[in-house]
């Protein structure tokens, strides 16, 4: 009996060590300057493309940040988000959680520039991550030392999106739980929601707080402004009807988001709830008072998000075209 117990215990420990070694081996494949030898100019090419695109289309920087969130929250940071619908494969872009996402075509612009320098070397997953890093800087956010070496998925995970990505009207407890499941704590979650400091909210995701009656947690004057932006309770999803998250610094990633929340000017229900939840309310006040603290927590959380469950060589590939898996 004792021998059996020892045998079972030994088997369990061996299994645990095997799983841990597999986890750390994948993690260790991500490293700073991963392409230093295989494609020395890769990160500079990505950076210059991000700057060039930002100067032509400022909203691309916001798209890069959202891409990182939507890609990495679903299974892995593996560029599965970028895959188009083809025979036998659906696209994550078709989920209602992806409503309003745009500028995917410019990811391929970046990819094409990198391919000219180093064919079949730099993954689309790394382009998603590094473009977000550089986009954050273009938006006045913190500089983030991001590792690379991710591989691209060979499939899309449309059916996983609903459960992985929080909705605009989810409870804070649910949002915290979803981020916690990938290793991001409460300060990190509150900071990541601060990405709503930039960009816009489509009326489709806003009108339930305005009609038939105004949400009592919404500032009445701001509600009147929002009604002018969203004049009907049933806006056309295809129409470009929206309000900026932040009217004062709409394209700067700063703590104005938290200041607006304290004034009851949060647009999304999930954002405004941050001020009333006992775990998040003190963090909102702290970030509203200290932009440096917000940036520190944001950088830390983005780094954790960007390294969620990376694929190894056997699990993934380097796509030639970010929109499609490679033909065998």
């Amino acid at each position: 009996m004792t021998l059996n117990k020892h045998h079972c215990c030994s088997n369990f420990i061996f299994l645990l060590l095997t799983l841990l070694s597999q986890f750390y081996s994948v993690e260790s494949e991500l490293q700073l300057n991963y392409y230093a030898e295989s494609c020395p100019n890769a990160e500079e090419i990505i950076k210059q493309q991000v700057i060039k695109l930002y100067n032509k289309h400022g909203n691309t920087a916001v798209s890069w940040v959202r891409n990182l969130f939507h890609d990495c929250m679903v299974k892995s940071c593996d560029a599965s988000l970028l895959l188009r619908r083809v025979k036998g494969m659906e696209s994550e872009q078709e989920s209602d959680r992806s409503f309003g996402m745009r500028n995917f075509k410019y990811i391929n612009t970046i990819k094409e520039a990198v391919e000219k320098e180093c064919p079949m070397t730099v993954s689309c997953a790394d382009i998603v991550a590094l473009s977000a890093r550089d986009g954050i800087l273009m938006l006045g956010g913190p500089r983030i030392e991001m590792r690379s070496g991710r591989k691209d998925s060979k499939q899309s995970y449309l059916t996983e999106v609903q459960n992985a990505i929080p909705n605009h009207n989810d409870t804070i407890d649910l949002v915290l739980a979803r981020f916690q499941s990938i290793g991001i704590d409460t300060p990190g979650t509150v900071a990541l929601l601060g990405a709503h400091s930039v960009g816009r909210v489509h009326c489709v995701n806003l009108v339930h707080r305005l009609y038939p009656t105004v949400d009592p947690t919404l500032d009445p004057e701001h509600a009147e402004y929002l009604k002018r932006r969203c004049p009907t309770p049933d806006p056309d999803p295809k129409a470009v009807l929206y309000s900026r998250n932040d009217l004062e610094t709409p394209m700067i990633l700063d703590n104005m988001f938290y200041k607006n929340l304290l004034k009851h000017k949060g647009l999304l229900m999930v954002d405004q709830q941050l001020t009333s939840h006992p775990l998040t309310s003190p963090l909102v006040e702290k970030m509203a008072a200290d932009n440096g603290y917000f940036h520190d927590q944001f950088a830390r959380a983005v780094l954790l998000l960007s390294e969620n469950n990376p694929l190894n060589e056997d699990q993934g590939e380097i796509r030639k075209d970010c929109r499609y898996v490679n033909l065998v």
Side-chain angles (χ1 to χ4, degrees), residues 42-65:
E43 293 198 23
E44 183 61 25
I45 292 170
I46 293 169
K47 177 183 174 183
Q48 291 305 319
Q49 286 294 316
V50 166
I51 293 171
K52 183 178 178 181
L53 287 164
Y54 175 80
N55 289 334
K56 285 185 177 179
H57 316 281
N59 59 39
T60 53
V62 181
S63 295
W64 307 153
V65 180

Side-chain angles (χ1 to χ4, degrees), residues 12-26:
F12 175 75
I13 292 171
F14 176 76
L15 179 61
L16 183 61
L17 289 173
T18 301
L19 290 172
L20 285 172
S21 67
Q22 289 175 349
F23 171 78
Y24 284 114
S25 67
V26 177

